[in-house]
Amino acid sequence: DIVMTQSPDSLAVSLGERATINCKSSQSVLYSSNNKNYLAWYQQKPGQPPNLLIYWASTRESGVPDRFSGSGSGTDFTLTINSLQAEDVAVYYCQQYYSTPFTFGQGTRLEIK
Amino acid sequence: QVQLVESGGGVVQPGRSLRLSCAVSGFIFSSYAMHWVRQAPGKGLEWVAVISYEGSDKYYADSVKGRFTISRDNSKNALYLQMNSLRAEDTAVYYCARGDGGNGGGIYWYLDLWGRGTLVTVSS
């Protein structure tokens, strides 16, 4: 099974500043045949289901503000939130869909400093 | 309007069974793989199972393999999760979610649509 490890477990960032969340997979999720990284990011606010933010490691889902961006390849990935807004307070998860079981990271809780 | 609505949750004793359903509307259900994902109280997300668009391929997390069965009825736009031999550690909110590989695009896709979940509590 591919193990997904996020860092940090929690972080506090001031409004308007940048938040950076890392995700590392225990093996590469880059599929060489199509050069795609099978890595997604989700946002979950309290009492709500997860919401897709980023897929293929760096493609922003329709309707997601452009302050959210994803980067990385192979085994190391980053979710960056520029100009943090109050509504960005949530738990963020990475997930690999390269091979079953489609594992999630443990989550990173983002708060306002 | 796209909707995924889970039902069937409740309180059940250890060792008993429960069947969850997910009613889908607003998209061509038969073209998409579907997943179950769960979240124990105060914990993170755990992927549970996936079924291909036509129902022939099914994969499970090790924690539920042999106890849970995912199925679908494309004529009813419905996804199911049969849960047997339930344990306390199966207590969670269970979400159904769509894999975005439309037109029979396989199972290796991100989850783009989620239901609001149904709570299963396993307790004596």
Side-chain angles (χ1 to χ4, degrees):
Chain A
D1 298 1
I2 298 177
V3 177
M4 308 299 291
T5 304
Q6 293 180 224
S7 62
D9 289 335
S10 64
L11 78 161
V13 175
S14 300
L15 290 172
E17 297 299 306
R18 175 182 300 168
T20 301
I21 299 170
N22 300 300
C23 175
K24 187 175 184 67
S25 57
S26 61
Q27 62 189 77
S28 177
V29 298
L30 174 63
Y31 189 42
S32 56
S33 297
N34 59 11
N35 201 36
K36 287 181 179 290
N37 287 283
Y38 284 57
L39 188 285
W41 289 96
Y42 303 88
Q43 175 193 63
Q44 188 178 33
K45 297 181 180 180
Q48 297 185 19
N51 181 53
L52 176 67
L53 294 176
I54 303 285
Y55 55 93
W56 304 129
S58 61
T59 301
R60 197 180 305 112
E61 171 71 331
S62 175
V64 173
D66 60 7
R67 63 179 181 273
F68 290 89
S69 63
S71 62
S73 184
T75 61
D76 293 279
F77 302 91
T78 300
L79 174 69
T80 301
I81 310 170
N82 287 310
S83 188
L84 189 73
Q85 306 294 304
E87 61 263 33
D88 300 335
V89 169
V91 180
Y92 293 84
Y93 297 92
C94 61
Q95 184 213 15
Q96 65 81 17
Y97 47 99
Y98 180 88
S99 67
T100 59
F102 294 139
T103 42
F104 288 90
Q106 79 277 18
T108 295
R109 185 174 302 276
L110 176 60
E111 299 173 336
I112 303 297
K113 185 185 293 183
Chain B
Q1 182 184 0
V2 174
Q3 272 195 312
L4 294 82
V5 180
E6 302 91 339
S7 61
V11 180
V12 61
Q13 293 179 327
R16 303 299 291 266
S17 299
L18 204 61
R19 188 198 199 202
L20 306 183
S21 299
C22 174
V24 168
S25 59
F27 64 91
I28 303 174
F29 178 69
S30 59
S31 291
Y32 292 84
M34 295 295 296
H35 301 249
W36 287 99
V37 175
R38 69 183 181 182
Q39 186 169 36
K43 303 298 184 183
L45 301 172
E46 180 186 14
W47 179 84
V48 173
V50 62
I51 186 168
S52 58
Y53 70 99
E54 84 283 29
S56 61
D57 294 326
K58 305 174 185 181
Y59 299 91
Y60 299 91
D62 289 344
S63 57
V64 306
K65 201 175 296 182
R67 300 188 300 123
F68 290 11
T69 301
I70 189 171
S71 63
R72 65 191 298 160
D73 186 337
N74 286 344
S75 68
K76 295 182 178 179
N77 286 356
L79 175 72
Y80 304 104
L81 186 67
Q82 177 67 44
M83 304 186 295
N84 299 331
S85 303
L86 282 161
R87 306 166 179 168
E89 53 265 36
D90 296 319
T91 294
V93 173
Y94 285 74
Y95 297 101
C96 65
R98 186 181 81 169
D100 193 26
N103 296 316
I107 66 170
Y108 300 98
W109 289 83
Y110 45 88
L111 308 183
D112 69 330
L113 295 174
W114 296 66
R116 297 202 64 83
T118 186
L119 176 62
V120 173
T121 303
V122 183
S123 174
S124 54

